[in-house]
Amino acid sequence: MKILLVEDEAKTGEYLRKGLSEAGYSTDWVTDGLTGHHQALVGDYDLVILDVMLPEITGWQVLAGIRKAGLSMPVLFLTARDQVEDRVKGLELGADDYLVKPFAFAELLARVRTLLRRGRSRDTDTLKVADLELDLLRRRAIRAGRRIDLTAKEFALLELLMRRQGEVLPRSLIASQVWDMNFESDTNVVEVAIKRLRTKVDTGFDTKLINTLRGMGYVMEEKTNDTPTA
């Protein structure tokens, strides 16, 4: 589970980032509204924790941008503003919960878990592209009735590609989403993983699903091509 934390107070932000990480959540922390808005749109997060009063643009503006983009991940507001009208405004903009500072971390964690469960319940349990199916609950992949054995990282990589079918994903994004690392130009971990996954998913089929756009990245889409794309 990936969480985006948008909090400009250094002490609070570090405390929450550390606590959420120790609770088992991959947590990205940014300190201004513009960066938070950008990260929310491109980062494929399961939950956003958002302060209201932020540099550059407010948390309300960040939330409005998230919902305008059609993203439905849960958003939890964390703020010192405890007026009823503030809470109503946040909820009307599409927030899922509202926690007023100061708060107990145990309460925050309980709300995070509730929102993540609620978010997962809205998701489909199975992803499908052509004759490839990915069962998210049983953690297994099947193509044309044939079971595909995947490592944990291969499963995560395939899930990312299938969730964003038709979208060209650069190596830097794949590295950050699957390996939670900053991409370095001399690192070939993504290429190696894609090659292994493609062998398992596409070998023996006329229709190739994992395709390379040289100099751009990788895309999951149906393509009939007998020539290898690796």
Side-chain angles (χ1 to χ4, degrees):
M1 287 291 171
K2 290 194 65 176
I3 294 176
L4 174 63
L5 171 64
V6 189
E7 169 61 66
D8 64 320
E9 295 179 5
K11 186 175 180 181
T12 301
E14 178 58 30
Y15 170 73
L16 293 177
R17 186 203 63 76
K18 182 178 179 181
L20 290 167
S21 297
E22 290 176 350
Y25 300 109
S26 175
T27 305
D28 293 337
W29 170 36
V30 298
T31 58
D32 69 85
L34 281 177
T35 304
H37 178 255
H38 173 74
Q39 284 292 104
L41 296 188
V42 304
D44 197 22
Y45 292 97
D46 299 290
L47 171 69
V48 177
I49 299 177
L50 188 60
D51 195 5
V52 170
M53 302 310 296
L54 293 165
E56 307 296 344
I57 61 174
T58 68
W60 287 318
Q61 291 172 295
V62 174
L63 174 59
I66 290 173
R67 296 305 184 226
K68 184 178 180 180
L71 299 176
S72 61
M73 81 278 275
V75 174
L76 168 64
F77 267 127
L78 276 185
T79 180
R81 301 174 67 107
D82 61 355
Q83 299 299 311
V84 172
E85 54 266 31
D86 291 328
R87 280 177 276 178
V88 169
K89 181 176 181 178
L91 293 172
E92 287 180 342
L93 285 171
D96 295 86
D97 203 351
Y98 206 107
L99 190 57
V100 177
K101 300 175 182 178
F103 55 85
F105 182 76
E107 181 181 2
L108 169 68
L109 194 58
R111 294 190 184 213
V112 164
R113 288 169 175 160
T114 297
L115 289 173
L116 287 172
R117 284 196 300 269
R118 191 183 304 166
R120 284 200 301 270
S121 69
R122 293 198 293 257
D123 290 339
T124 180
D125 293 335
T126 304
L127 302 176
K128 295 182 179 180
V129 177
D131 55 356
L132 174 65
E133 296 186 8
L134 194 66
D135 189 325
L136 301 178
L137 293 180
R138 296 180 177 84
R139 309 294 290 178
R140 66 184 183 187
I142 296 175
R143 183 165 188 189
R146 187 187 72 188
R147 175 76 175 269
I148 303 172
D149 292 324
L150 301 173
T151 66
K153 288 299 183 185
E154 288 169 347
F155 189 95
L157 176 56
L158 183 57
E159 180 180 354
L160 175 63
L161 290 167
M162 294 181 70
R163 283 190 182 278
R164 303 178 72 160
Q165 177 187 0
E167 180 179 348
V168 180
L169 305 182
R171 292 182 298 169
S172 56
L173 185 146
I174 294 173
S176 66
Q177 294 293 309
V178 177
W179 284 270
D180 194 23
M181 70 178 190
N182 293 324
F183 179 78
E184 297 179 1
S185 59
D186 59 350
T187 299
N188 68 345
V189 62
V190 175
E191 289 92 333
V192 171
I194 287 286
K195 184 176 181 179
R196 289 176 177 171
L197 183 60
R198 181 183 285 133
T199 298
K200 293 183 177 184
V201 170
D202 283 340
T203 297
F205 295 94
D206 291 334
T207 300
K208 309 304 180 185
L209 299 179
I210 302 175
N211 300 285
T212 301
L213 274 68
R214 299 198 181 281
M216 298 175 63
Y218 304 96
V219 60
M220 170 72 73
E221 62 181 3
E222 297 181 58
K223 182 177 180 181
T224 302
N225 187 353
D226 295 330
T227 302
T229 56

